[in-house]
């Protein structure tokens, strides 16, 4: 399913099977999650960097071809490929262990073709073995929504203990992170679109202590808040909801402009930070942890040919949880 221009529907194309180059493998795709970042690519919020692109970066597949120079990967192995599709390895950030900030990165589904397809080429060293306890549909959303939630959560928990955690935008990432945070003993409060009863019901079903609209005031001040919705106006709202010394983490790759707000909302050693991308270390830590903690996505499954419908349903909030395409 190919994006040929921003803000146009994806087009189905039949192509020859791609051949893996040095350091690459070809995966036969079993499932690919539909992420809000895919919407940012399709809608032009992220600039178009290629004349055509196959979106998708929550890829679960089976290795069916191996390029030169690949070790530690075997034919028939199930692996996952996330948003970060490669790094340069030589810039300051890569050398200092911050490959998520690489100056010359590659991204599956944006700068290189992704998983909205039956076959996909990925760099072997930027793919992960997947825990056996997760089905293909369950594993796919963990490869971005789960990982970015995990990285945001680790950032939120730096410095001071977090007993009460607020999640703004209760979609794919938040409903996965809520399960992990609750398993780790935190009290989770879910902030949804105002009036989004299905998302609030899902939050309560998963064990959140409170669920309400993002314009509502929580019953108690938060130790930390994570914003997954791409809505800049939530930043001052979240700052208002956290206690002194608390932190607000922006977990999305794209966000609308943040409106002006009074300094009083930031004062008191509150912190406002962003999270960018992920590292391979995040994946190696998170995937086994999520499996042990019993993290399971609520999945709306779509055939690959209905990718446009899946993106529209995500844009309009027509499902709670995560969407996954299946070839």
């Amino acid at each position: 399913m190919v994006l040929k221009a921003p803000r146009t529907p994806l087009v189905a194309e039949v192509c020859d099977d791609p051949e893996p180059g040095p350091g690459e493998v070809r995966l036969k795709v079993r499932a690919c999650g539909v992420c809000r970042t895919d919407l940012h690519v399709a809608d032009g919020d992220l600039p178009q960097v290629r004349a055509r692109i196959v979106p998708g970066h929550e890829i679960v597949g089976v290795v069916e071809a191996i390029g030169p120079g690949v070790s530690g990967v075997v034919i028939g192995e199930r692996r996952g490929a996330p948003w970060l599709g490669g790094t340069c390895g030589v810039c300051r950030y890569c050398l200092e262990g911050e490959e998520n900030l690489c100056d010359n990165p590659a991204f599956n589904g944006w700068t290189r073709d992704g998983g909205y397809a039956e076959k996909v080429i990925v760099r072997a060293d930027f793919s992960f073995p997947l825990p056996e306890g997760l089905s293909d549909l369950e594993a796919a959303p963990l490869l971005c929504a789960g990982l970015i939630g995990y990285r945001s959560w680790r950032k939120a928990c730096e410095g001071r203990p977090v007993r009460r955690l607020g999640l703004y935008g209760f979609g794919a990432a938040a409903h996965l992170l809520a399960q992990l945070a609750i398993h780790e003993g935190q009290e989770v409060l879910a902030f949804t679109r105002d009036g989004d009863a299905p998302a609030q019901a899902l939050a309560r079903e998963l064990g959140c202590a409170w669920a309400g609209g993002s314009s509502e005031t929580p019953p108690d001040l938060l130790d930390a808040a994570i914003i997954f919705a791409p809505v800049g106006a939530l930043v001052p709202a979240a700052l208002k909801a956290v206690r002194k010394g608390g932190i607000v983490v922006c977990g999305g790759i794209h966000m609308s402009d943040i409106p002006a707000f009074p300094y009083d909302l930031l004062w008191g050693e509150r912190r406002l930070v962003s999270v960018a991308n992920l590292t391979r270390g995040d994946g190696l830590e998170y995937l086994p942890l999520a499996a042990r903690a019993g993290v399971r996505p609520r999945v709306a499954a779509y055939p690959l040919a209905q990718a446009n419908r899946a993106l529209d349903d995500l844009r309009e909030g027509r499902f709670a949880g995560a969407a996954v395409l299946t070839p």
Side-chain angles (χ1 to χ4, degrees):
M1 299 296 291
V2 180
L3 178 70
K4 295 189 175 182
R7 296 174 294 280
T8 63
L10 306 185
V11 178
E13 290 188 353
V14 178
C15 310
D16 293 335
D17 287 351
E19 292 299 326
E24 297 178 331
V25 298
R26 185 174 73 224
L27 301 180
K28 181 177 182 180
V29 179
R30 285 184 170 179
C32 185
V34 179
C35 179
R36 187 161 291 277
T37 304
D38 299 334
L39 274 184
H40 295 319
V41 172
D43 292 347
D45 298 325
L46 296 178
Q48 185 171 353
V49 293
R50 297 175 58 182
R52 62 187 300 283
I53 186 68
V54 178
H57 58 272
E58 296 177 335
I59 307 166
V60 174
V62 174
V63 178
E64 66 171 22
I66 299 176
V70 174
S71 60
V73 179
V74 297
I75 298 294
E77 179 184 3
R78 189 176 72 143
R79 297 184 74 86
W83 170 243
L84 188 64
T87 57
C88 69
V90 297
C91 72
R92 171 181 177 180
Y93 300 104
C94 286
L95 295 176
E96 293 179 355
E98 295 181 305
E99 66 182 11
N100 60 306
L101 301 178
C102 174
D103 283 333
N104 296 288
F107 298 104
N108 292 317
W110 185 30
T111 67
R112 56 186 296 154
D113 283 337
Y116 285 18
E118 294 175 327
K119 310 288 178 75
V120 64
I121 299 294
V122 301
R123 275 184 54 171
D125 56 345
F126 280 83
S127 65
F128 307 115
L130 297 173
E132 292 184 1
L134 295 167
S135 71
D136 298 333
L137 289 177
E138 291 170 335
L142 271 59
L143 289 163
C144 184
L147 278 170
I148 203 64
Y150 176 66
R151 188 171 183 86
S152 300
W153 180 63
R154 283 176 39 216
K155 182 70 69 175
C157 295
E158 287 178 355
R160 291 183 170 91
V162 174
R163 300 181 181 89
R164 187 174 296 113
L165 174 69
L167 303 179
Y168 284 78
F170 203 78
H175 97 288
L176 292 172
L177 177 56
Q179 296 175 58
L180 179 60
I182 291 168
H183 180 268
E184 295 296 318
Q186 293 176 335
E187 180 181 326
V188 177
L189 291 80
F191 297 79
T192 72
R193 298 183 189 186
D194 289 337
D196 190 344
Q200 292 173 20
L202 175 59
R204 297 187 188 98
E205 181 183 339
L206 293 175
C208 292
W210 179 90
S214 58
S215 65
E216 297 182 45
T217 301
D220 297 289
L221 290 176
L222 309 171
D223 298 312
I226 302 174
I227 301 174
F228 293 115
V231 181
L234 292 176
V235 169
L239 284 169
K240 186 177 180 180
V242 299
R243 65 174 175 86
K244 290 183 289 186
I247 184 171
V248 173
V249 180
C250 299
I253 193 172
H254 172 82
M255 180 179 278
S256 61
D257 289 348
I258 300 171
F261 57 86
Y263 177 64
D264 284 352
L265 295 183
L266 188 61
W267 187 77
E269 298 192 355
R270 293 175 179 86
R271 292 167 290 155
L272 175 64
V273 301
S274 69
V275 165
N277 309 315
L278 56 102
T279 68
R280 286 170 286 182
D282 294 331
L284 295 174
E285 289 176 11
Y286 171 69
L287 292 170
L289 176 61
R292 290 195 303 269
V295 174
R296 296 294 185 275
R298 302 301 169 92
V299 172
Y302 298 76
L304 176 61
Q306 294 183 13
N308 288 309
R309 177 186 161 201
L311 288 168
D312 287 342
D313 287 351
L314 174 60
R315 184 184 290 107
E316 300 301 325
R318 295 191 184 108
F319 58 81
V324 177
L325 299 177
T326 55

